Amino acid sequence: MQDEHQYEQLMLQYSQLLNGAEDISRMIDNEDYDNAITMIKNRGQLFLSCKCIRKYLELTPVQQNELDSMLDKLREAELKNIKKLEKSMENVQLELKRSQKSQKLQQAYEINPDLKGSIVNIKDSL
């Protein structure tokens, strides 16, 4: 009876982690990185709790299969989030390099938009 209750508690916690991973994925898609990172940091205690429960819980083969299935889903969701974050980091680094190149170019030629001239076609005005 105690094991059944702990198993249900464990599955509930893993379900919460999976839902959290999906929420984090949406936050990443919406470029809400601050909240996503905060949520990632706050999940550590829940992972630790799951680890402790699993360490002392004796599972039936059916329970083990269900748990393994849940863990596979969680791993997949976490890997997708990691890949999304890596892709976003690459995009930010590319944009930063472009910005730095543009800034170097402007500093090298001291481009001042107020002093820029324009070319006028005199033939059209005659």
Side-chain angles (χ1 to χ4, degrees), residues 16-43:
Q16 289 173 342
L17 288 169
L18 183 59
N19 291 338
E22 292 168 357
D23 289 342
I24 290 169
S25 178
R26 282 190 290 276
M27 289 177 195
I28 293 169
D29 290 340
N30 294 331
E31 297 181 359
D32 187 7
Y33 300 115
D34 291 336
N35 286 331
I37 295 204
T38 300
M39 195 167 178
I40 289 169
K41 287 180 181 179
N42 292 337
R43 296 171 43 183

Side-chain angles (χ1 to χ4, degrees), residues 114-125:
D114 296 331
L115 301 177
K116 267 199 313 192
S118 61
I119 299 174
V120 178
N121 191 347
I122 297 179
K123 290 183 183 180
D124 289 342
S125 60

Side-chain angles (χ1 to χ4, degrees), residues 50-61:
C50 291
K51 183 178 179 180
C52 290
I53 292 172
R54 283 192 69 193
K55 187 173 184 177
Y56 298 106
L57 186 62
E58 293 184 26
L59 300 172
T60 66

Side-chain angles (χ1 to χ4, degrees), residues 2-14 16 45-59 64 67:
Q2 180 72 15
D3 280 351
E4 184 65 31
H5 177 69
Q6 286 183 333
Y7 171 74
E8 289 174 10
Q9 181 69 26
L10 181 63
M11 290 302 286
L12 177 66
Q13 288 180 351
Y14 277 124
Q16 289 173 342
Q45 191 64 31
L46 194 53
F47 273 111
L48 185 60
S49 173
C50 291
K51 183 178 179 180
C52 290
I53 292 172
R54 283 192 69 193
K55 187 173 184 177
Y56 298 106
L57 186 62
E58 293 184 26
L59 300 172
Q64 186 65 46
L67 184 61

